[in-house]
């Protein structure tokens, strides 16, 4: 019998541990929903699938389903389970991964009647790997690329980047944490790698209800090659998975505009844009600025392993805002400026403050760029839409009293695909702007 509403609570949230319990299949159990227990307009239904069930009070064709949209759930359902999902009219909505410990309680895998079992994981990992190696032919230009782009590859809350002999897994949800053994096996079968590294942000672990062991004394790094440019990647302590593969095409494109230029790479992290500008772009001088001391050290090492002299590329440990204000005060002007800040709008509650930071950063940059110069300005905040970003740039141009031409807007490379039912996957926006006057 379908449980009453008060049983839909997190009685079964697993404690944070790293025991990696096995995901076991279930035999079909015939259940008939009790009409008397139906809430509001949710219709009763008969369930014969081996997977537990969940019924939605509100259904939307989006990969991410919020907890408040769920009406009731199978008493057998445990957090992390693969579940069959019904809409309020008792029609099959699809299959998803459940975690009532999270605000995003369901991550949909499919929509419609096609049955799904645990084999989905290996099949989708194999398909994602084949897209990169066979279709996109990424090994011809690099040994570093995104293997799995979460919802974009039909694998919610799972990010995997390949760096030479390593695959770095970044987890964003309990269901994928529980499937780590199967994920590692599939990656070893699909990729020419020797080791899988597992990472997850502490806030994600807390919100999702799992815990990875602390890494002590096991710091790993490797050197990758991208378009004949070499980078050292900090696999265990670097930002996110250690390196931003999403900007690969934009880094290569930048090099076509920097010959003889005075280039400023703000929020440079490991120096990606700056190293490209100096090495392939033959810039006159490159300045890489970042507030993170470890990032600045890494950027310097990347310049060194590409044999870029200190006279051609300098690193500066500084906060972006006061640094740009100081450049304005000193009347220092640049031919090319790259703004690639971290995610300034991490949550909806941060939208107003984060948008203002983007505005201020771009306004300062426009005040220290030469007429005819190139501004490559980026946002990796998925909550800031392309339309909002364009409006923000219009406002900063007016505020800085500069006329700006947007030549093109680009995003992440093709190894970061976007599903139509999860448009937020198109998080990266890069506006290529010529400062007309």
């Amino acid at each position: 019998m379908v449980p009453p509403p008060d049983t839909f609570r997190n009685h079964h949230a697993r404690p944070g541990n790293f025991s990696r319990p096995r995901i076991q299949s279930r035999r079909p159990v015939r259940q008939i929903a009790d009409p008397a227990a139906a809430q509001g307009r949710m219709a009763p239904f008969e369930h014969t699938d081996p997977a537990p069930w969940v019924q939605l009070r509100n259904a939307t064709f989006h990969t991410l389903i919020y907890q408040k949209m769920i009406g009731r759930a199978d008493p057998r359902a445990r957090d992390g389970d693969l579940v069959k999902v019904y809409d309020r009219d008792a029609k099959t909505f699809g299959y998803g991964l459940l975690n009532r410990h999270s605000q995003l309680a369901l991550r949909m895998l499919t929509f419609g009647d096609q049955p799904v079992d645990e084999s989905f994981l290996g099949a989708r990992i194999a398909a994602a790997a084949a897209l990169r190696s066979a279709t996109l032919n990424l090994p011809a230009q690099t040994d570093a690329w995104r293997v799995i782009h979460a919802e974009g590859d039909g694998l919610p809350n799972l990010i995997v980047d390949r760096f030479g002999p390593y695959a770095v897994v970044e987890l964003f949800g309990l269901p994928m944490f529980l499937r780590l053994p199967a994920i590692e096996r599939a990656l070893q079968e699909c990729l020419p790698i020797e080791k899988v590294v597992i990472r997850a942000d502490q806030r994600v672990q807390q919100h999702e209800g799992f815990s990875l062991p602390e890494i002590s004394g096991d710091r790993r790094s490797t050197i990758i090659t991208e378009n004949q440019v070499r980078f050292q990647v900090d696999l265990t302590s670097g930002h996110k998975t250690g390196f931003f593969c999403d900007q690969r095409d934009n880094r290569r494109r930048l090099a076509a505009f920097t010959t003889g230029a005075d280039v400023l790479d703000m929020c440079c992290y490991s120096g990606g844009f700056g190293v490209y500008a100096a090495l392939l772009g033959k810039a006159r001088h490159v300045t890489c600025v970042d507030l993170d001391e470890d990032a600045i050290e890494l950027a310097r090492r990347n310049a060194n392993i590409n044999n870029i002299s200190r006279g051609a590329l300098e690193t500066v440990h500084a906060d972006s805002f006061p640094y740009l204000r100081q450049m304005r005060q000193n009347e220092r002007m640049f031919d090319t400026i790259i703004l690639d800040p971290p995610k300034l709008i991490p949550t909806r509650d941060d939208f107003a403050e984060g948008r203002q930071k983007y505005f201020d950063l771009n306004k300062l940059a426009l005040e220290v760029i030469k007429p005819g110069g190139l501004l490559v300005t980026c946002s990796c905040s998925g909550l800031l839409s392309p339309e909002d970003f364009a409006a923000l740039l219009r406002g900063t141009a007016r505020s800085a009293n500069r006329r700006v031409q947007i030549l093109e807007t680009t995003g992440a490379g093709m190894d970061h695909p976007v599903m139509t039912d999860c448009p937020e996957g198109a998080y990266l926006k890069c506006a290529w702007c010529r400062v007309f006057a």
Side-chain angles (χ1 to χ4, degrees):
M1 183 177 293
V2 171
D6 63 352
T7 64
F8 184 63
R9 292 182 293 180
N10 191 32
H11 295 303
H12 307 291
R14 294 184 175 92
N17 58 58
F18 199 64
S19 58
R20 299 186 181 181
R22 295 178 60 190
I23 303 296
Q24 299 180 347
S25 61
R26 294 182 172 87
R27 295 179 179 179
V29 176
R30 185 171 181 269
Q31 299 184 56
I32 301 176
D34 181 3
Q39 303 174 42
R41 294 182 56 193
M42 288 191 297
F45 57 88
E46 181 176 342
H47 178 76
T48 59
D49 196 279
W53 56 264
V54 166
Q55 189 174 20
L56 304 179
R57 59 162 55 93
N58 293 303
T60 177
F61 283 95
H62 195 287
T63 303
L64 308 177
I65 304 293
Y66 284 89
Q67 187 168 154
K68 62 184 179 181
M69 299 169 69
I70 296 177
R72 49 186 178 166
D74 193 326
R76 299 177 300 147
R78 300 292 184 267
D79 289 332
D81 278 351
L82 171 68
V83 295
K84 184 173 183 178
V85 183
Y86 296 91
D87 66 16
R88 65 184 181 185
D89 297 322
K91 296 179 181 177
T92 299
F93 186 65
Y95 287 78
L97 298 172
L98 179 68
N99 183 14
R100 292 169 290 186
H101 192 84
S102 171
Q103 185 181 9
L104 288 168
L106 263 179
R107 280 86 169 189
M108 298 300 297
L109 297 170
T110 63
F111 297 99
D113 294 329
Q114 184 66 33
V116 176
D117 59 27
E118 288 295 333
S119 66
F120 84 90
L121 189 62
R124 291 192 177 183
I125 290 175
L131 170 65
R132 278 74 175 177
S133 60
T135 304
L136 301 181
N137 193 26
L138 288 174
Q141 56 181 295
T142 182
D143 58 357
W145 62 80
R146 177 140 298 179
V147 182
I148 297 170
H149 189 49
E151 289 82 4
D153 285 297
L155 292 163
N157 297 145
L158 179 63
I159 294 290
V160 180
D161 285 336
R162 183 256 172 122
F163 300 117
Y166 293 91
V168 180
V169 173
E170 187 175 15
L171 299 171
F172 292 89
L174 173 70
M176 290 303 177
F177 166 77
L178 297 177
R179 291 165 174 80
L180 271 176
I183 292 169
E184 293 185 57
R185 285 195 302 270
L187 292 173
Q188 294 279 5
E189 292 171 1
C190 296
L191 299 172
I193 57 172
E194 300 171 5
K195 178 73 174 178
V196 178
V197 177
I198 311 298
R199 300 185 60 170
D201 184 82
Q202 286 295 330
R203 290 193 304 173
V204 169
Q205 295 181 53
Q206 180 180 357
H207 292 161
E208 287 287 320
F210 69 91
S211 177
L212 294 179
E214 292 291 332
I215 298 175
S216 58
D218 189 28
R219 191 164 184 170
R220 295 176 181 270
S221 68
T222 191
I223 293 179
I224 59 97
T225 302
E226 178 187 278
N227 299 313
Q228 288 77 57
V229 184
R230 303 173 73 209
F231 291 98
Q232 184 173 356
V233 180
D234 185 341
L235 303 169
T236 52
S237 302
H239 297 176
K240 307 299 284 182
T241 61
F243 186 72
F244 296 120
C245 295
D246 53 0
Q247 292 280 27
R248 178 181 55 252
D249 294 344
N250 294 318
R251 286 189 286 264
R252 181 180 58 190
R253 177 174 297 202
L254 174 72
F257 298 96
T258 59
T259 301
D262 194 2
V263 177
L264 176 62
D265 183 5
M266 298 300 304
C267 309
C268 68
Y269 182 43
S270 56
F273 281 105
V275 169
Y276 263 77
L279 186 67
L280 300 186
K282 307 301 181 185
R284 185 189 69 82
H285 185 267
V286 175
T287 304
C288 291
V289 180
D290 204 287
L291 182 59
D292 186 336
E293 289 183 277
D294 291 336
I296 285 297
E297 181 183 345
L298 188 56
R300 185 69 258 166
R301 288 202 300 270
N302 285 329
N304 291 340
I305 64 176
N306 287 284
N307 298 314
I308 301 170
S309 70
R310 289 185 179 271
L313 187 150
E314 68 170 314
T315 56
V316 178
H317 175 224
D319 184 283
S320 298
F321 293 93
Y323 180 84
L324 287 170
R325 292 187 185 102
Q326 186 65 49
M327 294 302 100
R328 180 181 61 188
Q329 181 177 336
N330 294 346
E331 298 183 352
R332 173 78 185 277
M333 304 291 281
F334 298 87
D335 299 298
T336 303
I337 298 179
I338 302 97
L339 297 180
D340 189 17
K343 184 187 293 186
L344 299 179
I345 309 177
T347 70
R348 295 185 185 280
D349 292 339
D350 302 309
F351 187 87
E353 180 182 357
R355 190 184 188 282
Q356 186 62 49
K357 288 180 179 179
Y358 280 118
F359 185 98
D360 294 342
L361 188 62
N362 279 275
K363 181 176 183 291
L364 286 168
L366 287 173
E367 292 173 343
V368 295
I369 195 166
K370 297 176 183 177
L374 179 70
L375 171 66
V376 182
T377 179
C378 310
S379 167
C380 63
S381 297
L383 292 172
L384 185 69
S385 70
E387 295 77 17
D388 285 337
F389 192 45
L392 182 149
L393 294 177
R394 289 194 297 270
T396 55
R398 288 194 299 269
S399 181
N401 196 29
R402 306 298 298 268
R403 294 200 68 198
V404 175
Q405 297 171 309
I406 297 180
L407 306 178
E408 187 176 9
T409 301
T410 58
M414 288 188 183
D415 51 340
H416 293 65
V418 179
M419 284 287 188
T420 56
D421 51 38
C422 191
E424 296 89 338
Y427 65 95
L428 182 62
K429 300 158 287 290
C430 298
W432 298 72
C433 306
R434 178 175 179 264
V435 180
F436 188 75

